[in-house]
């Protein structure tokens, strides 16, 4: 499955999703196991897929401005799946968070992330999110851009995270929207 996962072939595989008619939850009936996903992410190239960096940076800037409106920007900062760290860079420039935790399983982007965080207190953990690596009551911001809807057990993760938050912490999640015009226009080929 690796070539399909990394989207390098024309012949892409799509996992269809369903909405439960009873409770309305949107889910994938068939997907990978945690161990398989860990392998896939580790060998994956950065996620930008040839999109111009300034376009990506502008998008991330828009997301960061939303965080800025709500976050006290004191205390710890957690980002899951920062990829090349465009969002992280904005958080670092503000110079207010006292410690950065990044969970990023892709080996290819590790050195880019280290460069961004140079001179700050940080931990870059090359795995999927492991909440137990974060001390209790330390985070004032949690950021996941296109990550939450890829977690196998989002609810469990969120419940675990709760004990790691400082009072008044801000959580920023950017998720794909299957009810969007883009999703409707793309139909079965929607890349959510
Ligand atoms: Zn249901």
């Amino acid at each position: 499955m690796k070539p399909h996962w990394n989207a390098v072939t024309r012949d892409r595989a799509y996992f269809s999703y369903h909405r439960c008619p009873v409770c309305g939850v949107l889910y994938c009936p068939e997907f990978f196991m945690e161990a398989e996903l860990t392998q896939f992410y580790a060998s994956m190239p950065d996620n930008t897929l040839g999109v111009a960096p300034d376009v990506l940076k502008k998008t991330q800037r828009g997301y960061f401005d939303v965080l800025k409106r709500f976050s006290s920007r004191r205390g710890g900062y957690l980002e899951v799946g920062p990829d090349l760290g465009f969002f992280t860079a904005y958080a670092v420039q503000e110079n207010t968070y006292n410690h950065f935790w990044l969970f990023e399983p892709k080996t290819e982007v590790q050195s880019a992330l280290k460069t961004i965080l140079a001179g700050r207190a940080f931990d870059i953990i090359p795995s999927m999110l492991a909440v137990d690596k974060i001390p209790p009551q330390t985070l004032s911001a949690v950021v996941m851009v296109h990550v939450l809807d890829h977690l196998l057990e989002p609810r469990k993760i969120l419940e675990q995270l709760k004990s790691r938050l400082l009072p008044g912490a801000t959580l920023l999640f950017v998720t794909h929207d299957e009810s969007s015009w883009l999703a409707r226009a793309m139909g079965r080929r929607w890349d959510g």
Side-chain angles (χ1 to χ4, degrees), residues 20 22-25:
C20 171
V22 180
C23 67
V25 76

Side-chain angles (χ1 to χ4, degrees), residues 31-47:
F31 205 57
F32 297 106
M33 312 280 280
E34 188 85 55
E36 295 165 328
L37 285 173
T38 307
Q39 275 191 39
F40 287 148
Y41 282 121
S43 64
M44 197 178 171
D46 73 71
N47 233 342

Side-chain angles (χ1 to χ4, degrees), residues 11-36:
D11 180 27
R12 300 193 64 182
Y14 289 85
F15 288 89
S16 52
Y17 48 85
H18 293 274
R19 188 175 288 287
C20 171
V22 180
C23 67
V25 76
L26 191 70
Y27 68 102
C28 276
E30 289 175 83
F31 205 57
F32 297 106
M33 312 280 280
E34 188 85 55
E36 295 165 328

